Amino acid sequence: MLFAKYVLFTGAFSAFTAAAALLAHDAWRVFQLKLPVAFRWRAAGRLAAIGGLVLLAGLAIVVVPSGKGGVRVSQVSGTLNGTLYPGTHVVAPLLHRVELFNIRDQILNTSAFEPEKGSKEPEALTVYSKEGLPIGVGVSVRYQLDPRRLAAMEKTLPQPVEKELMPPTVANAFRQTVANYMVRDVFSEKREEVRRIAAEAITKRLAADGIVVKEVMLREIALPDEYAKGLEGLLVKAQENDRMAIELEVKQKMVRTAELEAEAQKTREVKAAEGRAQIAVIDAKAQADAMQHTLPLKEKQIQQTRLEAEARKESTVKGAEAAAQAKVIDSKAELEKRNLLAQAEAQRIQLLAGADAVRLKSEASVLKDNPLLIQKIIAERLSDKVQIMMVPADGRFFFANDVLKGGSAANSISLLPNER
């Protein structure tokens, strides 16, 4: 259909070009050659009308690309219900237009740091903690526009949704969520809780507008510089304390590990023995079950073989009977064919004999009425050098009168038997 659309556009352009060329040619003949030629407005108008019709047919074909969804917008009644999914659709040309929406999964990214000027990095998202300190938040939101609600989006939501609705909604959700937590909590132990609460708020808010939020990720957090330096010192001391605690815990665990390994070895040996016993029991049961199922299977195979042999025997007998019947039918058909051919040949001979009799009777009648035709026919067959001369019937003052009379008498005598 896309090829047909381009063909129609090409045909419309060709028709318009031909109409313009026709008028331009007439103008050239009038103004350049000074010829008294009238402009062919009617022919040009017809070409233009044909081009307009073909162009309208091409405009009526709308192709929605893969990964897109379309909504028809009427110039009279506004947005029409229903979604045009990827493929070819027919709309009312000049009356309807199609607005396309991306129905693939999309990603909205924010950065925790201010991007450099001229870079293509996402915009920074700054929120404020409970203490009023600014925090940079790097967020990724994966979402999709609900294809079934594209018409409502086109009617009510600002366009494009990806730029006008998504960024402020995500920023507002994180600002309201982070405002209830201390900086240390957001950075450490409450980080996942902050992400979850903000994700629920974003999902609930956007679901009302037909936007399906599939995942909200909190990638990074940028702390204020002063707080980051103080937090770094605290982290160093905390790390030292944690290191000592970890070393002590590691030694305790090493002792406990040795005890557990001994118990595990004992347990493994006991489990292995129990497993071998269970395998032996299962093998014995499997062999018994196999023997129970093997005998009925063999009996069914023997019965199937017997039935197949009977079926082949019956098929052979019926095939022989069918062949004999076919031969009898062929013999009857051949005999009937010969009878029909003989009857047709007899009818043909009768028709030919009747036609010959009619032809001879007609020739005798013609010769009786015109006896001189016999001489003409004989003269034409003797030689192409013989010339025919027509003389009066009485033969007066003709030197060959006696010869012609003799010939006429002979012809009269020869026709007498035919007359009888």
Side-chain angles (χ1 to χ4, degrees):
M1 291 298 292
L2 184 60
F3 175 74
K5 180 177 182 179
Y6 290 147
V7 169
L8 291 174
F9 282 161
T10 304
F13 178 75
S14 300
F16 290 143
T17 304
L22 190 64
L23 293 177
H25 182 263
D26 291 344
W28 178 77
R29 295 177 64 187
V30 171
F31 296 108
Q32 295 294 331
L33 300 181
K34 306 299 182 181
L35 296 177
V37 178
F39 284 90
R40 289 172 284 183
W41 295 105
R42 182 173 296 178
R46 290 176 181 174
L47 289 174
I50 293 172
L53 293 176
V54 175
L55 180 61
L56 288 177
L59 292 174
I61 300 174
V62 175
V63 178
V64 178
S66 176
K68 299 285 186 179
V71 176
R72 292 173 298 169
V73 180
S74 174
Q75 304 296 334
V76 178
S77 58
T79 304
L80 302 179
N81 294 327
T83 300
L84 302 180
Y85 290 93
T88 304
H89 305 274
V90 178
V91 299
L94 302 181
L95 183 62
H96 292 168
R97 61 182 175 87
V98 177
E99 292 290 338
L100 296 179
F101 293 85
N102 188 353
I103 59 176
R104 291 192 179 98
D105 284 2
Q106 303 182 64
I107 302 294
L108 171 65
N109 292 318
T110 65
S111 175
F113 305 94
E114 288 292 336
E116 297 180 359
K117 293 183 178 180
S119 65
K120 296 183 179 180
E121 296 181 0
E123 295 182 359
L125 174 59
T126 302
V127 297
Y128 292 88
S129 66
K130 193 173 183 179
E131 306 97 323
L133 296 176
I135 302 174
V137 181
V139 179
S140 293
V141 180
R142 185 165 70 94
Y143 65 96
Q144 180 192 21
L145 303 183
D146 189 352
R148 297 169 297 180
R149 301 181 63 181
L150 294 182
M153 293 182 192
E154 207 283 331
K155 287 180 183 178
T156 59
L157 299 183
Q159 302 298 328
V161 176
E162 296 83 353
K163 294 182 180 180
E164 299 295 333
L165 181 63
M166 288 298 299
T169 302
V170 173
N172 184 58
F174 273 95
R175 288 192 179 103
Q176 292 180 354
T177 304
V178 174
N180 298 321
Y181 293 88
M182 305 292 286
V183 175
R184 183 181 179 85
D185 296 336
V186 175
F187 183 75
S188 56
E189 58 185 13
K190 298 295 181 66
R191 179 170 180 164
E192 177 59 26
E193 182 179 338
V194 170
R195 185 206 65 80
R196 179 177 55 80
I197 294 175
E200 291 176 356
I202 294 170
T203 302
K204 183 178 179 181
R205 172 64 183 83
L206 294 177
D209 294 326
I211 302 175
V212 181
V213 178
K214 297 185 176 180
E215 187 177 6
V216 177
M217 296 170 282
L218 182 56
R219 302 193 319 273
E220 56 185 355
I221 297 175
L223 299 175
D225 294 338
E226 294 80 5
Y227 188 87
K229 291 178 181 179
L231 183 61
E232 185 177 355
L234 291 175
L235 289 176
V236 170
K237 293 180 180 180
Q239 288 176 358
E240 184 66 21
N241 188 25
D242 292 340
R243 185 182 63 80
M244 294 179 65
I246 290 172
E247 288 180 355
L248 180 60
E249 187 178 355
V250 167
K251 291 180 180 180
Q252 292 176 353
K253 287 183 178 180
M254 290 175 64
V255 175
R256 182 60 180 166
T257 300
E259 296 176 355
L260 293 175
E261 286 181 353
E263 293 180 0
Q265 182 64 27
K266 179 181 178 181
T267 304
R268 282 196 295 269
E269 292 178 355
V270 173
K271 294 292 183 181
E274 292 177 353
R276 288 193 294 271
Q278 290 178 358
I279 291 172
V281 173
I282 292 172
D283 289 341
K285 290 182 178 180
Q287 292 179 1
D289 293 340
M291 291 299 294
Q292 291 178 359
H293 292 289
T294 302
L295 184 60
L297 181 61
K298 293 293 185 181
E299 292 178 353
K300 289 181 180 180
Q301 291 178 350
I302 294 171
Q303 185 177 3
Q304 182 179 0
T305 304
R306 185 183 300 112
L307 292 175
E308 290 177 353
E310 292 178 358
R312 286 194 296 270
K313 179 179 178 182
E314 185 176 357
S315 176
T316 303
V317 172
K318 290 185 177 181
E321 292 177 354
Q325 292 178 359
K327 289 182 179 179
V328 171
I329 293 172
D330 292 341
S331 300
K332 291 181 179 180
E334 184 65 23
L335 180 60
E336 186 176 355
K337 174 183 177 182
R338 292 181 179 179
N339 291 334
L340 291 174
L341 290 175
Q343 292 177 4
E345 183 66 21
Q347 291 178 359
R348 187 181 69 83
I349 293 172
Q350 290 177 0
L351 292 173
L352 290 175
D356 290 340
V358 172
R359 180 178 60 80
L360 292 174
K361 186 178 293 184
S362 175
E363 290 178 356
S365 175
V366 171
L367 292 175
K368 179 179 179 182
D369 295 337
N370 302 285
L372 293 179
L373 288 176
I374 296 176
Q375 297 181 11
K376 179 178 179 295
I377 293 170
I378 293 173
E380 288 177 350
R381 292 186 177 181
L382 287 177
S383 173
D384 57 352
K385 302 297 183 180
V386 177
Q387 296 182 353
I388 301 172
M389 180 183 294
M390 303 301 293
V391 298
D394 54 3
R396 186 179 298 175
F397 306 111
F398 186 62
F399 69 94
N401 185 28
D402 296 334
V403 176
L404 293 175
K405 288 181 178 180
S408 300
N411 290 333
S412 299
I413 295 171
S414 63
L415 291 173
L416 289 176
N418 289 334
E419 293 176 356
R420 291 196 299 270

